[in-house]
């Protein structure tokens, strides 16, 4: 019998396998498809590659503003898909995890077919492999939530969208969360006529309200038709050129049609077919695996990590989970899930990102100072002709600790990483204002906005401090 069997080779499973191997456990990693999971094959890596192409198109269109004359850029989508394949293969081939895992003595079973449990210690795969483990770590990730309206089989998921062989002339995107927003933004840049339908009052609803407003406004400016609160989907029907969606709101009926309809209405645990009942593993009310603070499931020898637990569904969190679950699977319950600062961002146009509390949540829990700086008044954004967007910093009025940072616009995700480090380090906003970030940079906006908050607190801002010291 093996010490640990890990199911699923996404970020959670790969790190769990490496950790168990490093701890000297006899370990196997089994996955139904390719090493790397969704992150490498269907999520961030391909999406970021397509988003990069969208950005290049946008950058190329402003070359004449800088006196560079070229023809209008033309997208060769087949060539772009080739580049996406090249990037995903390259990322997989150069994954240092793969080498480390092999060095740690872990046996990797790729393309083993879907795994299912026979009992709490035994799994079998569709290809006929059978393995027994003292402990098992489930890292099977998530899948797109399906619509149940009649005709839903005519719709596509984000994964189908990346597999399209040509850019469709038009697209309905249903769901304005992070995934729907990315699909809408990317295909809009490639020339599809996009209609984005969101059931709630604002798209990207997990973001600060100012961010939702700015992203919706940026999308509309870029030509995306955004409809919030659109109502309830009644059905889909096939048309000669694609698909039509019927919906209703307060007894008023409406319809919209396009060549393709992509549904992105959330994420559910990828557990169907695992035969969890054979192992005594229970799910929570949302269908994700129920785990305790040690990532142990309801079965005492089985742990879970990553998206399948339904916590923050991001690569860094999956990696951290994998480490904790494997440590506990080998050593017993010694590591708890920590409270972590978690920056979140999306590579749409406009880009957006956040870390910490939204302004509404911060105001509900603290007396706060809020400073906001628009990108039309920062030097680097003016130089680069990227003046749409803002950076908002929120700090506690009495402790002056930074509580949250929200950015929309060019390099939003990168800017937010620095705010995340400041929050994780427990920095006060006036401390951040004392760090002379390089000029003229995107990250430098944080220094300006921190100085603005510091002035509101009636404390010395950096240039005043310099005067005092130099006096
Ligand atoms: C469009 C999109 C964009 C994203 N962008 C970002 C981003 O920019 N940044 C970020 O941090 N996160 C992003 N994410 C989220 C990120 O991809 C996930 O949080 C991460 O991949 C979760 O890792 P995981 O190991 O839990 O699961 P996964 O990566 O989903 O891996 C699960 C693995 O388990 C295997 N598996 C499933 N069922 C079985 C079975 N029965 N038997 C055997 N194997 C099985 C799968 O094939 C897969 O290999 C994005 C997701 C999507 C969909």
């Amino acid at each position: 019998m093996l010490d640990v069997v890990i199911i699923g080779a996404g970020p959670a499973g790969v790190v769990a396998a490496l950790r168990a191997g490093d701890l000297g456990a006899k370990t196997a990693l089994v996955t139904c498809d390719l090493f790397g999971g969704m992150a490498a094959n269907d999520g961030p890596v391909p999406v970021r590659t397509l988003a990069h192409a969208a950005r290049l198109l946008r950058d190329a269109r402003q070359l004449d503003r800088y006196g560079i004359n070229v023809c209008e850029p033309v997208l060769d989508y087949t060539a772009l898909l080739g580049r996406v394949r090249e990037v995903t293969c390259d990322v997989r081939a150069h994954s240092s995890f793969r080498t480390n895992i092999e060095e740690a003595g872990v046996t990797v079973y790729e393309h083993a077919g879907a795994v299912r449990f026979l009992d709490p210690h035994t799994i079998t795969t569709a290809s006929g492999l059978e393995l027994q483990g003292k402990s098992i770590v489930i890292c099977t990730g998530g899948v797109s939530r399906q619509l149940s309206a009649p005709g839903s089989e005519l719709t596509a998921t984000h994964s189908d969208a990346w597999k399209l062989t040509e850019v469709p002339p038009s697209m309905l995107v249903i769901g304005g969360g992070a995934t729907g927003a990315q699909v809408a933004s990317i295909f809009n840049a490639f020339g599809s006529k996009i209609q984005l339908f969101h059931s709630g009052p604002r798209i990207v609803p997990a973001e600060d309200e100012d961010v939702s407003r700015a992203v919706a406004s940026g999308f509309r400016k870029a030509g995306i038709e955004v409809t919030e609160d659109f109502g309830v989907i009644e059905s889909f029907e096939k048309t000669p050129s694609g698909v039509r969606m019927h919906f209703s709101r307060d007894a008023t009926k409406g319809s919209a049609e396009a060549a393709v309809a992509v549904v992105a209405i959330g994420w559910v645990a990828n557990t169907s077919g695992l035969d969890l009942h054979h192992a005594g593993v229970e799910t929570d009310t949302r269908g994700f695996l129920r785990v305790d603070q040690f990532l142990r499931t309801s079965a005492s020898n089985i742990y879970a990590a990553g998206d399948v637990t339904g916590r923050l569904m991001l690569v860094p969190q999956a990696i951290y989970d994998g480490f904790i679950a494997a440590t506990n699977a080998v050593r017993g319950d010694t590591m708890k899930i920590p409270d972590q600062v978690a920056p979140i961002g999306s590579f749409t146009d406009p880009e957006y990102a956040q870390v910490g509390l939204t302004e509404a949540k911060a105001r509900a829990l603290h007396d706060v100072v809020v400073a906001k700086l628009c990108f039309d008044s920062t030097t680097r954004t003016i130089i680069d002709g990227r003046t749409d967007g803002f950076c908002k910093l929120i700090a506690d009025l009495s402790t002056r600790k930074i509580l949250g940072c929200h950015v929309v616009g060019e390099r939003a995700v990168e800017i937010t990483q620095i705010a995340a480090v400041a929050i994780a380090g427990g920095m006060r906003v006036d401390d951040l204002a004392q760090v002379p970030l390089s000029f003229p940079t995107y990250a430098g906006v944080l220094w300006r906005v921190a100085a603005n908050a510091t002035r509101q607190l009636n404390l010395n801002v950096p240039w005043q401090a310099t005067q005092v010291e130099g006096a």
Side-chain angles (χ1 to χ4, degrees), residues 68-360:
I68 304 163
N69 294 314
V70 287
C71 307
E72 178 71 7
V74 178
L75 175 69
D76 177 343
Y77 195 59
T78 310
L80 172 57
L81 291 181
R83 175 66 186 149
V84 172
R85 276 192 298 278
E86 189 178 71
V87 169
T88 48
C89 289
D90 222 16
V91 168
R92 264 200 313 273
H94 291 96
S95 163
S96 57
F97 282 128
R98 184 71 198 237
T99 323
N100 295 342
I101 279 179
E102 279 158 10
E103 283 166 2
V106 174
T107 310
V108 180
Y109 298 96
E110 266 180 289
H111 298 293
V115 168
R116 63 190 174 85
F117 280 93
L118 296 179
D119 63 47
H121 291 281
T122 316
I123 58 146
T124 184
T125 73
S127 63
L129 178 73
E130 194 170 304
L131 296 171
Q132 286 198 310
K134 290 178 195 153
S135 297
I136 295 184
V137 186
I138 305 175
C139 308
T140 51
V143 284
S144 302
R145 192 151 75 82
Q146 303 290 315
L147 272 175
S148 54
S152 299
E153 68 282 358
L154 300 170
T155 65
T157 64
H158 75 276
S159 308
D160 304 319
W162 316 140
K163 287 176 196 138
L164 289 169
T165 50
E166 55 187 27
V167 176
S170 55
M171 186 183 271
L172 305 180
V173 180
I174 298 134
T179 302
Q182 295 206 30
V183 173
S185 179
I186 287 170
F187 281 95
N188 184 59
F190 294 165
S192 289
K193 175 78 199 122
I194 306 287
Q195 299 173 66
L196 174 61
F197 289 89
H198 186 66
S199 58
R202 58 187 179 98
I203 62 167
V204 289
E207 303 300 316
D208 188 274
E209 286 181 29
D210 281 351
V211 171
S212 287
R213 249 192 305 276
V215 174
S217 144
F219 276 12
R220 288 189 172 107
K221 202 166 147 192
I224 299 176
E225 213 178 287
V226 182
T227 309
E228 291 100 348
D229 273 329
F230 78 96
V232 179
I233 297 171
E234 297 201 330
S235 63
F236 292 90
E237 67 172 325
K238 201 167 167 36
T239 66
S241 55
V243 60
R244 182 179 297 121
M245 173 176 79
H246 294 279
F247 57 94
S248 64
R249 183 170 177 237
D250 302 333
T252 308
K253 295 199 181 296
S255 71
E257 60 182 274
V260 177
V262 175
V263 175
I265 53 165
W267 214 230
V268 291
N270 191 1
T271 53
S272 67
L274 275 175
D275 284 349
L276 292 174
H277 56 283
H278 288 162
V281 174
E282 291 167 8
T283 53
D284 64 19
T285 48
R286 299 181 305 150
F288 290 97
L289 295 194
R290 191 156 60 74
V291 288
D292 65 13
Q293 56 192 341
F294 301 102
L295 293 174
R296 188 200 287 263
T297 68
S298 48
S300 63
N301 70 311
I302 301 178
Y303 294 79
D307 281 11
V308 77
T309 66
R311 297 173 335 101
L312 257 188
M313 292 189 256
L314 293 167
V315 170
Q317 282 67 26
I319 286 176
Y320 213 84
D321 271 12
F323 187 88
I324 293 172
T327 304
N328 295 335
V330 177
R331 289 188 168 162
D333 292 346
T334 49
M335 270 191 97
K336 290 184 187 170
I337 319 167
D339 265 344
Q340 270 183 327
V341 174
I344 302 174
S346 196
F347 305 99
T348 46
D349 179 19
E351 201 170 292
Y352 64 90
Q354 61 150 309
V355 61
L357 301 178
T358 61
E359 185 176 341

